[in-house]
């Protein structure tokens, strides 16, 4: 038996979930997001915890190990206090003070609690610390920086850490090195062969490891390289990049001024003299919409889901029909009245299709009376005309036209912003932009300044082709955008003294690719009147109206912004198919595209179209295409085979004492079983599993019921152990029980680390641990299973084995407040109900939890038992809601618990326990034999629901009354 590491024995999942959530919620302030778009970057705090967890030995004293781990993560009391971001306001401190403290230190002023005069600086600090200590973990975090934002544990903490680990270090990187030497004989090598946005290689490098990062996508490789070398390059590198970025930005700005394409003719005056001192407001935003002829009325309709332009500035667009041409003029109105604002919202012409505001004769129709012609109709059977390479704007007879309808100008003198409809002079300038672009177009394409690649058909890439007829990547940009970005590309071609500067410039282009296209939505919401990014989700959504920035508004998109860190680096980053990995890592930390909804290989082609000629200059040994065919994706047999090939390769490239951590987000039993097959076949065995809630609610992976990231810990399987399923079941049983027992033992009663779903997961993992330790199970042919084409709904033989683990777990995990003998006698449906009451009492309303229980207890249909099935509001029906329905038959309907619930209902209805008691005595066969069980269940129902479950109040009282009656009966 190998020595176990910390993460193989325990992991602080609850606190880490909170830390991960906090990091995710910091949005643009996350360390790596400023470099460029990636979908689903893993939180750095999680990677840090993973690396430490994989390196720290388990000492045999789990409590102490846990304490040391938390200290290292600055997630202990003292570490959290070190992370304090700002003073805690007096009013907040007051909330946590004792009555005496309140009286002594606080006074009420202007309706708010404030420090009083007797509270000196020291007192205030002392009181803040006290209040902080009394807060729960979530609350504390609201006042804390993220662990990566401070300089690790304090000197005092290092003393405790060193004493326990028998080390002599003062920083995380020193510790990581020393642990690496102890365990592997050298500084640890950490690899990620699916590195995506670069979280793993970045954090590993920041912690002092030697790192390897690769990904099929060169876009990912660039982001990862930049994470390590630019963010990790410290202040000096940041300054260098900023300088060269500014040089280019200013030069393009001057060129745009020279072309005269982003200023109008408004003059501006000197405030004191009243003289005209300058000319031309500067364009801030250009708003475009598409326009199409409505097949029903024959009118050409500008399309937008709403005609509100700005909620805060109360700006709207108003359509004015012109009967002679059957078209609309568009007026722009600022400071609109509330009625006009409401009207503009209702007047949207692109909601569920084209809604033409007038009838054939040009009579205005009230918005409620308008019918929608499906947009599909516009495309016709043959679809839209496909654009050719040289099409830069729609042709005059194209079905879908693009129209500039509003410009936001900035008065350079006052800084005031003005929304205006375009004038003939503005349209002249639009024409000039097109002329300038046409002049350069072919030359620039040849030089790679603007894209020349065709859009290859695919799940996401078909959308712009189908919905707009765009066939080349440059069709996603309007002439102004192509001219501007092209000019940047031209200037940066020979610029940059170092790879860092050149990479910084290329990433700036990448940010334009995302923030400066025809797929950038205009956001009119208050305070936010601005354009958003192309990839606000994982699709290429075409828009009815879009925002195009003026050059002056591009600064936030152009300049890279990230915190400056400084660490010395030993890193190897390349684009590569994971199957071709030949780097040897001691620790592989991977997050494969496992049943993932993101088509990285398609979405990144947009960036590659712009990087095509630049990337090979910057990294001569890299390729610059997406290698779509090699992407690992889906869930079918091809996917399973590809995954085995990847993981076999990684296992081969790992020493015998190496470890792997695989992250994935699915909790479905079949998915687990598949993953087991894959990893098993790749020569790995599972040693532990944990779930961390890493996704925020609106995150892209919230589909179905996925809430957490599962971390599987794996080692190489070295022994040859053979068995068959009947041998293995008892082992699974023993392992599940052992696992749950240890978790229960180390859990903190006050601040529980594990929830129900953690125990469920631990059961799956325990089963996998047993199964994957075998090199062969006689009656399961792994290779055949992997390659087998499955029919819909068909599962693998491993599924049953894993399901059995959950059944064992559910037997073992008796709800608090119920005797285990009673629990064992209950039917699966009764257990489901009892568990449901328990989780609701814990404030748990997630749909996924009920699904997991249903799976665990082997129940197919439980919807009838739910009072609400809405995601995050799921709960059971109360006795009062169940009433007298379904009182006999199979399953729950015929169960003892169902009859008890009915008796509770009767009791509450009549406010008297006698009818309920009579019912129980008449209907329950062997009433007297089952009386103790009835008492136990009634006791549970009268105690368990929490005060927050107000819908249970009546039933809890009734259960209590009835309990008294049953207990008193016959005594
Ligand atoms: C879930 S993402 C990884 C995200 C990453 N952990 C992060 O924090 O940003 C999965 C990655 O697998 C990559 N991928 C897909 N097929 C691959 C293959 N055959 N070889 C290597 N990488 C591949 C995708 O490009 C994607 O970046």
């Amino acid at each position: 038996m190998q020595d176990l590491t910390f993460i193989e024995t325990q992991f602080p999942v609850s606190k880490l979930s909170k830390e991960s959530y906090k990091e995710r919620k910091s949005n643009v302030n996350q360390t790596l997001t400023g470099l460029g778009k990636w979908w689903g970057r893993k939180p750095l705090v999680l990677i840090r915890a993973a690396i430490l967890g994989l390196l720290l030995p388990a000492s045999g004293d789990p409590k102490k190990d846990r304490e040391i781990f938390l200290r290292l993560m600055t997630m202990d009391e003292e570490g959290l206090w070190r992370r304090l971001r700002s003073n805690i306001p007096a009013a907040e401190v007051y909330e946590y003070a004792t009555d005496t403290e309140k009286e002594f230190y606080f006074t009420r002023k202007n309706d708010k609690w404030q420090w009083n005069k007797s509270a000196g600086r020291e007192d205030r600090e002392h009181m803040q610390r006290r209040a902080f200590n009394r807060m729960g973990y979530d609350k504390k975090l609201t006042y804390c920086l993220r662990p990566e934002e401070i300089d690790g544990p304090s000197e005092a903490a290092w003393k405790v850490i060193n004493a326990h680990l028998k080390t002599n270090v003062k920083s995380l990187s020193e510790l990581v090195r020393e642990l690496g030497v102890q365990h592997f004989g050298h500084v640890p090598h950490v690899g990620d062969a699916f590195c995506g946005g670069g979280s793993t290689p970045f954090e590993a490098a920041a912690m002092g490891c030697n790192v390897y990062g690769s990904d099929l996508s060169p876009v990912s490789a660039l982001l990862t390289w930049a994470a390590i070398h630019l963010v990790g390059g410290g202040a000096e590198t940041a300054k260098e990049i900023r300088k060269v970025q500014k040089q280019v930005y200013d030069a393009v700005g001057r060129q745009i001024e020279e072309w005269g394409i982003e200023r109008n003719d408004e003059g501006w005056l000197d405030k004191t003299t009243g003289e005209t001192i300058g000319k031309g407001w500067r364009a801030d935003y250009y708003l475009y919409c598409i326009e199409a002829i409505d097949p029903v009325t024959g009118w050409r309709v500008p399309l937008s889901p709403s005609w509100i332009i700005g909620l805060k500035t109360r700006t709207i667009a108003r359509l004015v029909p012109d009967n002679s041409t059957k078209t609309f003029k568009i007026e722009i109105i600022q400071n609109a009245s509330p009625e006009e604002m409401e009207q503009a919202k209702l007047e949207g012409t692109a909601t569920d299709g084209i809604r033409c505001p007038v009838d054939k004769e040009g009579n205005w129709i009230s918005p409620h009376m308008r019918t929608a012609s499906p947009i599909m109709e516009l495309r016709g059977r043959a679809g839209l005309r496909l654009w050719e390479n040289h099409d830069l704007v729609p042709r005059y007879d194209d079905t879908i036209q693009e129209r500039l309808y509003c410009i936001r100008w900035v008065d350079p003198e006052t800084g005031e912003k003005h929304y205006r409809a375009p004038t003939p002079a503005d349209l002249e300038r639009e024409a000039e932009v097109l002329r300038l672009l046409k002049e350069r177009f072919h030359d620039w394409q040849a030089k790679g300044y603007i894209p020349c690649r065709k859009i290859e058909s695919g799940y996401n890439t078909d959308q712009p082709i189908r919905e707009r007829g765009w066939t080349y990547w440059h069709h996603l940009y309007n002439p102004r955008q192509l001219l501007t970005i092209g000019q940047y590309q031209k200037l940066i071609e020979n610029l940059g003294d170092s790879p860092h500067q050149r990479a910084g410039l290329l990433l700036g282009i990448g940010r334009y690719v995302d923030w400066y296209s025809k797929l950038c939505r205009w956001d009119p919401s208050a305070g936010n009147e601005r354009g958003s990014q192309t990839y606000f989700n994982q699709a290429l959504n075409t828009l009815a109206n879009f925002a195009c920035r003026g050059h002056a508004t591009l600064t936030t998109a152009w300049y890279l912004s990230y915190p400056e860190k400084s660490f010395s680096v030993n890193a190897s980053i390349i684009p590569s198919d994971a199957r071709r990995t030949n780097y040897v890592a001691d620790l592989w930390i991977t997050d494969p595209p496992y049943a993932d909804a993101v088509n990285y290989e398609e979405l990144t082609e947009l960036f590659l179209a712009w990087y095509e000629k630049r990337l090979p200059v910057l990294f001569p040994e890299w390729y610059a295409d997406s290698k779509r065919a090699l992407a690992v994706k889906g869930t079918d047999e091809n996917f399973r085979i590809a995954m085995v090939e990847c993981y076999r390769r990684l296992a081969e490239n790992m020493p015998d004492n190496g470890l792997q951590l695989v992250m994935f987000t699915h909790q479905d039993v079949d998915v687990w079983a598949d993953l087991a097959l894959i990893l098993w076949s790749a020569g790995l065995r599972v040693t532990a599993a944990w779930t961390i809630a890493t996704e925020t609610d609106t995150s892209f992976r919230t589909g179905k019921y996925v809430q957490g990231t599962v971390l599987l810990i794996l080692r190489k399987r070295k022994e040859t152990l053979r068995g068959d399923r009947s041998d293995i079941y008892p082992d699974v049983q023993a392992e599940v029980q052992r696992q749950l027992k240890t978790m229960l033992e180390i859990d903190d009663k006050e601040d529980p680390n594990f929830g129900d779903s953690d125990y469920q997961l631990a059961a799956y993992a325990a089963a996998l641990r047993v199964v994957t330790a075998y090199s062969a199970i006689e009656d399961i042919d792994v290779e055949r299973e992997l390659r087998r084409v499955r029919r819909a709904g068909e599962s693998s033989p491993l599924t049953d084995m894993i399901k059995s683990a959950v059944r064992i777990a559910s037997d073992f995990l008796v709800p608090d407040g119920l005797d285990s003998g009673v629990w064992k006698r209950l039917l699966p449906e009764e257990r489901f109900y009892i568990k449901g009451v328990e989780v609701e009492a814990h404030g748990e309303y997630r749909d996924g939890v009920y699904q997991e229980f249903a799976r665990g207890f082997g129940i197919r249909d439980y919807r009838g038992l739910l009072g609400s099935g809405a995601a995050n509001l799921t709960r059971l029906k109360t006795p009062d809601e169940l009433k007298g329905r379904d009182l006999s038959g199979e399953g729950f309907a015929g169960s003892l618990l169902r009859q008890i619930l009915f008796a509770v209902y009767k009791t509450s209805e009549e406010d008297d326990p006698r009818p309920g008691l009579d019912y129980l005595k008449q209907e329950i066969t062997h009433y007297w034999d089952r009386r103790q069980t009835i008492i136990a269940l009634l006791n549970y129902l009268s105690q368990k629901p929490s005060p927050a479950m107000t819908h249970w109040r009546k039933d809890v009282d009734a259960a209590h009354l009835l309990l008294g009656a049953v207990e008193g009966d016959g005594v």
Side-chain angles (χ1 to χ4, degrees), residues 10 71 205 242 306 310 331 385 676 802 894 920 955:
Q10 58 172 319
R71 276 184 192 269
R242 179 92 193 171
S306 129
E331 288 176 350
R385 176 188 77 86
I802 294 170
L920 290 176
D955 294 303

Side-chain angles (χ1 to χ4, degrees), residues 24 38-43 47 192-200 214-217 220 576-579 589-594 596 598 600-601 604 623 627 630-633 642 646 663 700-701:
R24 272 297 174 88
W38 198 261
W39 301 263
R41 273 191 183 96
K42 283 284 172 262
I47 307 293
D192 182 355
F194 299 96
C195 66
S199 293
T200 304
S214 67
D215 191 285
L216 188 63
S217 170
S220 145
S576 166
D577 180 358
R579 283 163 285 206
I589 299 183
T590 49
D591 167 24
Y594 192 73
D596 196 336
V598 186
Y600 302 93
E601 68 292 355
T604 50
Y623 56 82
K627 305 240 179 225
L630 297 177
V632 175
K633 59 194 291 184
C646 292
M663 301 179 223
F700 71 88
R701 285 191 194 179

Side-chain angles (χ1 to χ4, degrees), residues 579 594 631-646 674 677-678 681 782-792 794:
R579 283 163 285 206
Y594 192 73
V632 175
K633 59 194 291 184
T635 46
D636 64 5
E637 61 287 354
N638 294 322
F639 164 76
R640 292 194 288 271
I641 294 164
M643 284 280 285
V644 172
E645 286 167 359
C646 292
D674 268 358
L677 271 178
I678 289 164
S681 165
V782 182
E783 284 305 310
R784 202 185 136 262
E785 272 311 313
L786 276 169
R787 283 165 206 279
R788 195 162 62 92
V789 181
R790 291 185 203 147
R791 289 188 304 274
E794 203 185 350

Side-chain angles (χ1 to χ4, degrees), residues 7-193:
I7 202 169
E8 291 177 292
T9 54
Q10 58 172 319
F11 209 44
V13 292
S14 164
K15 290 191 166 88
L16 265 172
S17 298
K18 291 170 182 169
E19 297 279 359
S20 299
Y21 187 76
K22 176 182 170 70
E23 185 173 330
R24 272 297 174 88
K25 279 281 173 192
S26 21
N27 297 330
V28 288
N29 289 327
Q30 292 176 73
T31 301
L32 303 182
T33 41
L35 294 175
K37 177 72 194 178
W38 198 261
W39 301 263
R41 273 191 183 96
K42 283 284 172 262
L44 297 176
V45 68
L46 178 60
I47 307 293
R48 179 180 291 198
I51 294 176
L52 280 176
L54 290 165
L55 284 173
L56 286 172
S59 71
D61 179 350
K63 284 242 150 70
K64 188 74 189 171
D65 288 351
R66 181 182 157 89
E67 179 206 319
I68 295 297
F69 182 86
L70 293 176
R71 276 184 192 269
L72 282 166
M73 293 294 299
T74 58
M75 286 162 55
D76 61 320
E77 278 299 305
E78 193 232 341
L80 286 160
W81 180 246
R82 259 168 82 70
R83 283 161 54 190
L84 195 69
R85 189 165 30 90
S86 56
N87 279 335
I88 306 171
E92 186 75 34
V93 177
Y94 176 87
E95 293 298 322
Y96 291 89
T98 61
D99 287 346
T100 337
E101 290 165 344
K102 281 179 179 164
E103 212 168 298
F104 202 73
Y105 293 121
F106 295 89
T107 163
R108 197 152 173 90
K109 220 163 139 189
N110 300 335
D111 228 20
K112 255 174 100 180
W113 286 105
Q114 301 193 346
W115 296 108
N116 67 20
K117 288 211 180 69
S118 63
R121 202 167 64 89
E122 267 179 31
D123 293 328
R124 291 178 189 196
E125 266 172 26
H126 176 72
M127 285 303 297
Q128 282 189 59
R129 178 77 198 249
R130 283 206 159 178
F132 187 75
N133 287 350
R134 287 167 188 161
M135 290 173 184
Y137 203 83
D138 301 77
K139 186 77 191 175
K140 282 190 176 114
L141 283 189
T142 60
Y143 289 103
C144 287
L145 294 165
R146 304 194 298 269
E148 53 166 325
E149 292 176 294
I150 66 155
D151 191 18
S154 67
E155 227 170 273
W158 279 117
K159 281 205 180 114
V160 184
I161 295 166
N162 281 322
H164 179 69
L165 296 175
K166 302 191 179 54
T167 47
N168 181 18
V169 297
K170 289 193 292 297
S171 69
L172 272 190
S173 55
E174 282 178 23
L175 176 75
V176 162
R177 280 154 200 263
E178 202 162 316
L179 291 175
V181 171
Q182 274 177 20
H183 203 67
F184 304 110
H186 49 246
V187 174
H189 289 250
V190 175
D192 182 355

Side-chain angles (χ1 to χ4, degrees), residues 496-556:
D497 298 330
S498 63
H500 298 73
Q501 282 190 332
R502 290 194 287 274
L505 290 169
L506 193 56
L507 286 173
I509 298 293
R511 292 183 47 94
Y512 278 172
V513 172
D514 190 26
W515 287 92
Y516 192 44
S517 82
K518 292 197 283 189
L519 304 193
C520 293
R521 180 182 301 273
W522 174 250
D523 180 358
S525 53
N528 221 6
E529 295 169 18
R530 60 171 179 238
S532 58
Q533 65 189 131
T534 303
Y535 283 133
F536 69 94
N537 66 6
Q538 69 273 34
L540 285 160
N541 295 321
T542 59
L543 302 169
N545 63 329
F546 62 89
C548 164
R549 292 164 188 248
H551 188 251
T553 323
L554 281 172
T555 46
T556 47

Side-chain angles (χ1 to χ4, degrees), residues 652-665:
E652 284 162 8
N653 282 296
M654 181 173 94
D656 282 354
N657 60 350
L659 285 143
Q660 292 215 25
L661 185 149
V662 177
M663 301 179 223
F664 71 103
T665 31

